[in-house]
């Protein structure tokens, strides 16, 4: 039996981390939470998560910085960006960097579940010839 997907959650807001962790666990996935981009990038999880949910704006490194760092490492982790400060430029930048979804806080549970399904499907879909 294969192991449940590992979802990494990076957000400096403890309430957001806690609520996302509970929702993701209820879906049967494993969860690792981090209060900063630096903590995530320094962890073993950064090279092995099946999906990353990250806040865009945090003290220190941003969600965009995580996306760039993973790209530079050649790590193909699907990324879902979340932000309280949605604007067209930030959305475009996140999507240009390869984000699967870009959600404005507060978002619905259904929205994040849909994004997770898309991200995990993209990760597990075999390449076509």
């Amino acid at each position: 039996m294969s192991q449940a997907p590992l979802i990494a959650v990076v957000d400096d807001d403890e309430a957001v981390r806690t609520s996302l962790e509970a929702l993701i666990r209820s879906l049967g996935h494993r969860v690792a939470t981090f209060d900063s981009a630096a903590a995530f990038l320094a962890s073993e999880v950064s090279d092995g998560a099946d999906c990353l949910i990250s806040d865009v704006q945090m003290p220190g490194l941003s969600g965009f910085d995580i996306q760039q760092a993973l790209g530079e490492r050649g790590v193909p982790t699907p990324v879902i960006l979340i932000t309280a400060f949605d604007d067209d430029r930030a959305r475009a930048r996140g999507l240009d960097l390869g984000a699967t979804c870009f959600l404005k806080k507060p978002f619905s549970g259904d929205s994040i579940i849909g994004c997770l399904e898309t991200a995990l499907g993209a990760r597990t879909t075999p390449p076509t010839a």
Side-chain angles (χ1 to χ4, degrees):
M1 183 173 161
S2 65
Q3 205 169 30
L6 174 60
I7 312 302
V9 175
V10 182
D11 197 308
D12 58 317
D13 183 331
E14 183 178 3
V16 172
R17 287 193 315 273
T18 302
S19 63
L20 281 172
E21 180 178 19
L23 174 64
I24 293 164
R25 285 192 193 285
S26 77
L27 298 172
H29 304 313
R30 297 175 298 140
V31 185
T33 62
F34 302 89
D35 62 2
S36 71
F40 168 73
L41 290 170
S43 76
E44 291 181 8
V45 173
S46 67
D47 289 331
D50 294 295
C51 181
L52 166 67
I53 300 172
S54 178
D55 191 8
V56 171
Q57 293 185 328
M58 298 177 283
L61 300 174
S62 71
F64 299 137
D65 294 326
I66 295 174
Q67 279 186 283
Q68 289 178 310
L70 292 176
E72 289 167 4
R73 291 181 186 179
V75 178
T77 303
V79 176
I80 298 168
L81 292 174
I82 57 177
T83 185
F85 305 100
D86 186 19
D87 67 57
D88 291 338
R89 286 188 333 180
R91 178 179 298 276
R93 181 174 180 201
L95 296 174
D96 285 347
L97 287 169
T100 300
C101 289
F102 193 99
L103 297 176
K104 183 178 185 321
K105 296 177 186 176
F107 45 82
S108 70
D110 287 343
S111 294
I112 198 75
I113 290 168
C115 286
L116 273 170
E117 289 172 352
T118 299
L120 294 173
R123 172 103 183 183
T124 59
T125 302
T128 57

